[in-house]
Amino acid sequence: MGAESILIFIKPDHFRDVVSAGRSEIRNYIYDILVFTLCFVAALAVLSIVPRAPSTFLGAVPWVVLFVIGYRSALYRRGQRRLDRLTSLWMPGAIGGLRALSGAIHWALTPVATPPGRIHYDSEAAPASTVVVIMGESISASRMGLFVPKLDTTPGLERLARDDERYALFKKMGTSAGVASNSSVVGFLSGSPFPWRTEGSRSVFDIARSQGFRTHYWSAQIRSPLDVLGCTQLVDDVHSFEDTPDKFAHRKDWLLVDKLTTAALSEREFFFIYPRCNHVPYNHHSLEPWTRQTSKDSENWLLNNYDRGLRDFDAWAADIIDLFKEKAKSDLFVFVASDHNELFGENGLKGHGTNDQPIGSLVPYILYTNRPDHPVARQFRETTFADAHAVATLVMRLLGVTPQVEPPLNGGFYVGNVLPYGRAGYMRLEAKPEKFFEVEHFHRSGSRTAVSRLDFPKQNHATKLEDDGAAMQIAENKV
């Protein structure tokens, strides 16, 4: 199936999450392995029915059957309803294992289409600055007090926006580059608006280094996005979970704050920082252990656990941004985003990594800077809705590079499904005057499979803390 897919699926941190989540999740884990095994046996039974079929057909049948059973059947829908117990872990399981493993192998039998398109970059000398991208994990704007004032989940970010007159905080709703971590992070860093491999594209790390910036990839997760991008050699400073798992187990995401404490920054720095919080289990990321609620404690136990974990992310984000303010030797631009959101019943879905569901890509974008007068800050402030490539383009402009895309996007933008580079298909969104996005769904072969609708989030054009929060709704009309 290719090295990219293998890198995505071999994730030991997912297994550690299952173990730490407790005995009930372990039971679910075993149950899902059994479900996968039964589906595989069913596929072999199909093989026995067609013993004289051509060898290519025989090779494809088991995975086609697994795909149909795991992705289209009532089993999948029941599994989706069980996600509040499975806590959206997706390798392996009835939701994750069948969708990712069997689906990916099935998809791998079909070539990935590379539609026409190329990109080149206009460059100029970049002023000295410290540019930081914080890619949050499973952060939903609908649970952030910064977007929904009645929620007390982001006191740290709100303090940053309120208490320092030298800095301004701007926030927008938008979409991530994909509905799952690897497709999203790879898509954001690829330097291209397209979810497939694009002629002429260069990673943001390549651009930053060529423009004289020192580059950093700090992650409390594994470094597979760098491997998929093939740009590890372009990063001056790589530190991820694999390097010091024992220290991450003790200090959690704050190990990255410790690393910044001892770092000496130059005038030109580019950081991509990828914390682990607020991935399930939500109580796994705090320096102060807390007991997660169960259905016996509250009807809203899942939301309560998520909100508590979100406060941990907020505290960490405020700590590391405060430290950047102290250590930056030049203008500071901090973007806070998320790889995808976390769903709690929207459109009947829970968790994340929901293939072909654009609602899973709706995320917050925040810009915090001491240069609110900068053209990039003004453009962000004036943006109505921020898609991932638009934000990545602002980052590249701060690095002194402007991407030029052929053919033009004509008002549309793309969101990848669960695998990077269109290996699981992708979606194209385009805003309509009636205040909704038309969503075209594409197979990895490039053929359009469906059209759906995603309503605009409720927000206005104000800045700082004046923007509305956003409840997301989606109504699908498949064709």
Side-chain angles (χ1 to χ4, degrees):
M1 106 180 51
E4 292 174 0
S5 299
I6 294 172
L7 286 169
I8 291 164
F9 296 136
I10 300 177
K11 283 191 169 184
D13 52 329
H14 282 293
F15 182 76
R16 283 189 292 271
D17 282 342
V18 176
V19 174
S20 63
R23 288 180 297 178
S24 63
E25 280 73 15
I26 293 174
R27 286 196 298 269
N28 288 330
Y29 185 81
I30 295 172
Y31 168 82
D32 295 327
I33 292 176
L34 292 175
V35 169
F36 182 82
T37 303
L38 288 174
C39 291
F40 185 74
V41 170
L44 294 178
V46 173
L47 273 181
S48 67
I49 298 173
V50 285
R52 297 179 182 179
S55 58
T56 54
F57 177 76
L58 288 175
V61 164
W63 309 117
V64 172
V65 173
L66 281 174
F67 174 75
V68 172
I69 293 174
Y71 190 67
R72 300 295 186 190
S73 69
L75 171 65
Y76 169 80
R77 293 193 293 272
R78 286 199 302 272
Q80 193 69 54
R81 289 196 295 269
R82 292 178 61 251
L83 254 177
D84 57 339
R85 286 166 47 213
L86 285 168
T87 56
S88 75
L89 293 164
W90 62 281
M91 177 199 164
I95 299 94
L98 289 173
R99 184 172 63 224
L101 291 176
S102 64
I105 294 173
H106 166 69
W107 285 318
L109 297 174
T110 308
V112 180
T114 304
R118 69 181 307 275
I119 187 168
H120 68 274
Y121 304 87
D122 296 334
S123 60
E124 60 184 9
S129 62
T130 297
V131 182
V132 182
V133 176
I134 296 174
M135 184 62 69
E137 167 67 62
S138 306
I139 305 300
S140 296
S142 60
R143 303 308 302 172
M144 297 179 72
L146 194 65
F147 287 82
V148 185
K150 67 180 181 180
L151 298 174
D152 182 27
T153 53
T154 53
L157 291 172
E158 292 171 47
R159 171 185 60 78
L160 289 172
R162 182 181 60 244
D163 291 352
D164 193 336
E165 295 181 355
R166 300 171 302 165
Y167 283 80
L169 184 149
F170 307 106
K171 60 191 177 69
K172 299 292 175 182
M173 282 302 306
T175 50
S176 56
V179 298
S181 299
N182 278 279
S183 60
S184 177
V185 174
V186 169
F188 186 93
L189 290 172
S190 69
S192 169
F194 302 116
W196 54 83
R197 293 189 182 274
T198 310
E199 180 185 351
S201 63
R202 299 166 58 196
S203 74
V204 179
F205 287 112
D206 182 9
I207 290 169
R209 188 185 238 190
S210 68
Q211 291 292 98
F213 286 76
R214 191 164 57 177
T215 54
H216 310 262
Y217 180 90
W218 293 359
S219 175
Q221 309 197 45
I222 62 176
R223 67 180 66 177
S224 61
L226 291 184
D227 298 323
V228 174
L229 284 164
C231 68
T232 305
Q233 73 280 5
L234 299 173
V235 185
D236 299 309
D237 177 20
V238 177
H239 190 124
S240 60
F241 178 85
E242 301 97 316
D243 298 317
T244 53
D246 52 337
K247 292 182 179 179
F248 274 111
H250 175 62
R251 289 289 291 163
K252 313 297 184 182
D253 291 339
W254 274 266
L255 184 64
L256 305 178
V257 179
D258 299 342
K259 184 173 174 62
L260 181 60
T261 301
T262 60
L265 303 192
S266 67
E267 291 189 345
R268 285 179 169 81
E269 301 279 359
F270 173 68
F271 286 84
F272 186 87
I273 301 179
Y274 194 13
R276 182 69 175 158
C277 190
N278 194 24
H279 197 282
V280 291
Y282 308 127
N283 65 330
H284 193 60
H285 314 291
S286 176
L287 291 177
E288 300 293 334
W290 53 273
T291 302
R292 62 194 180 97
Q293 292 185 359
T294 68
S295 56
K296 296 179 181 179
D297 301 312
S298 170
E299 181 179 353
N300 296 320
W301 64 277
L302 187 61
L303 276 176
N304 294 341
N305 288 336
Y306 179 85
D307 289 352
R308 178 71 181 271
L310 188 56
R311 283 191 284 273
D312 292 331
F313 168 78
D314 171 76
W316 171 84
D319 284 351
I320 202 165
I321 292 173
D322 278 332
L323 196 52
F324 270 115
K325 289 169 64 176
E326 292 179 16
K327 299 185 75 72
K329 296 183 179 298
S330 50
D331 294 338
L332 176 63
F333 299 87
V334 180
F335 293 87
V336 181
S338 183
D339 52 1
H340 48 74
N341 63 22
E342 194 86 335
L343 299 172
F344 297 97
E346 298 92 335
N347 201 35
L349 301 170
K350 291 183 179 180
H352 62 260
T354 50
N355 208 56
D356 231 28
Q357 296 284 351
I359 194 171
S361 70
L362 290 168
V363 296
Y365 284 102
I366 297 167
L367 171 59
Y368 187 70
T369 180
N370 59 350
R371 285 293 311 278
D373 59 326
H374 192 282
V376 164
R378 288 202 303 269
Q379 184 173 344
F380 183 86
R381 185 170 69 245
E382 294 166 3
T383 298
T384 302
F385 188 87
D387 66 272
H389 178 66
V391 176
T393 297
L394 295 180
V395 172
M396 288 185 276
R397 284 182 57 194
L398 291 170
L399 302 174
V401 169
T402 302
Q404 303 294 338
V405 179
E406 300 173 11
L409 297 176
N410 296 324
F413 58 92
Y414 293 89
V415 173
N417 282 331
V418 296
L419 301 181
Y421 291 126
R423 296 176 71 87
Y426 53 90
M427 297 167 279
R428 182 183 183 274
L429 283 70
E430 183 174 344
K432 297 298 180 181
E434 297 82 2
K435 297 185 178 180
F436 69 88
F437 293 104
E438 179 183 82
V439 184
E440 297 177 279
H441 301 256
F442 292 88
H443 186 265
R444 60 179 277 146
S445 64
S447 60
R448 193 176 77 165
T449 59
V451 177
S452 64
R453 166 177 170 154
L454 177 67
D455 288 341
F456 278 3
K458 298 176 181 179
Q459 63 176 2
N460 57 35
H461 305 283
T463 59
K464 296 196 175 182
L465 293 179
E466 299 169 3
D467 288 355
D468 284 343
M472 315 306 171
Q473 299 294 328
I474 183 173
E476 290 203 334
N477 298 295
K478 301 261 178 166
V479 296

